[in-house]
């Protein structure tokens, strides 16, 4: 399973990159706004900076919701860097645009996916990635991890090449469950990635080793 970081914060991207486990980055308009990135030029520059920091794919989301607008915006984003993946919402014009991008050599990440039916449509249209939002599904009393397993199974049976990119991760346990359920990629906040490090017995064991080392 690949590890992406779900942020537009450069310090957090650098920290995950320095750990040596980072395979890519996903962003969305909320995450960009959180960093205070405003205006087309600043947005483009920020994506370029992220692409220079990491060697893997970087998802950049379109803001248009009509076919023509999504295509125009996606072309501009894709021109920033070869690692840019155009993030397109799961709406009718989005599916149409994903198909257009696929036929024109531009990779896409279909976002805001909450059902297996939507995931099938994204794969049929030729999305490189599909992003089911598992945390938000959990928030609405459904099982996000179950959806990851269902989509992974469907893609495997049907031979779809689209990668399952588990998004809206809220904890280290989510990451473990995504790995267990067949996600190809997990995009996570830095805290969830660092949460994987934690175990009280590791801390207790290390303290004891360091204490005993004084007697060596
Ligand atoms: O990038 C999309 C997704 O990861 C958003 O997560 O926490 O806002 O539901 P969240």
């Amino acid at each position: 399973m690949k590890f992406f970081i779900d942020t537009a914060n450069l310090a957090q991207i650098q920290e995950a990159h320095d750990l040596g486990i980072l395979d890519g980055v996903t962003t969305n308009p909320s995450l960009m706004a959180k960093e205070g990135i405003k205006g087309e030029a600043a947005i483009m520059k920020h994506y370029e900076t992220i692409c220079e920091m990491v060697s893997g794919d970087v998802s950049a989301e379109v803001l248009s919701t009509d076919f023509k607008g999504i295509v125009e915006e996606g072309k501009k984003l894709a021109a920033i860097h070869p690692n840019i993946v155009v993030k397109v919402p799961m709406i009718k014009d989005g599916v149409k645009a994903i198909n257009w991008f696929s036929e024109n050599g531009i990779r896409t990440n279909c976002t805001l996916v909450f059902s297996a039916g939507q995931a099938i449509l994204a794969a049929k249209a030729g999305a490189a990635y599909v992003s089911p939002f598992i945390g938000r599904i959990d928030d609405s009393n459904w099982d996000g991890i179950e959806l990851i397993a269902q989509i992974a199974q469907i893609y495997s049976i049907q031979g779809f090449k689209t990668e399952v990119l588990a998004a809206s991760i809220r904890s280290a346990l989510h990451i473990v469950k995504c790995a267990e359920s067949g996600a190809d990629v997990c995009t996570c906040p830095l805290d969830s990635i660092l949460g994987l490090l934690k175990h009280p017995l590791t801390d207790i064991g290390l303290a004891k080793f360091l204490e005993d080392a004084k007697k060596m």
Side-chain angles (χ1 to χ4, degrees), residues 61-62 70 86-90 94-95 97-98 101 108-111:
E61 189 157 342
V62 296
I70 295 172
V86 179
K87 208 171 176 187
V88 180
M90 169 39 76
V95 170
I98 288 168
F101 286 129
T108 54
N109 172 358
C110 183
T111 189

Side-chain angles (χ1 to χ4, degrees), residues 46-122:
H46 201 74
Y47 286 138
E48 196 182 341
T49 304
I50 294 174
C51 288
E52 283 161 2
M53 290 172 72
V54 298
S55 53
D57 286 345
V58 175
S59 285
E61 189 157 342
V62 296
L63 304 176
S64 303
T65 53
D66 64 293
F67 173 74
K68 202 165 169 281
I70 295 172
V71 166
E72 285 316 307
E73 224 183 301
K75 283 197 285 190
K76 279 190 205 166
L77 290 170
I80 297 173
H81 193 279
N83 289 351
I84 288 281
V85 175
V86 179
K87 208 171 176 187
V88 180
M90 169 39 76
I91 52 174
K92 197 172 173 187
D93 279 32
V95 170
K96 210 171 143 184
I98 288 168
N99 181 56
W100 187 92
F101 286 129
S102 163
E103 286 174 354
N104 287 276
I106 292 176
R107 293 175 307 135
T108 54
N109 172 358
C110 183
T111 189
L112 290 165
V113 165
F114 294 90
S115 75
Q118 291 178 322
I120 290 171
L121 209 47

Side-chain angles (χ1 to χ4, degrees), residues 6 26-28 31 87 111 133 135-136 167-170 187:
D6 196 26
T26 53
T27 62
N28 63 38
L31 294 171
K87 208 171 176 187
T111 189
F133 278 28
R136 293 192 196 182
S168 186
I169 298 293
R170 303 281 166 78
T187 189

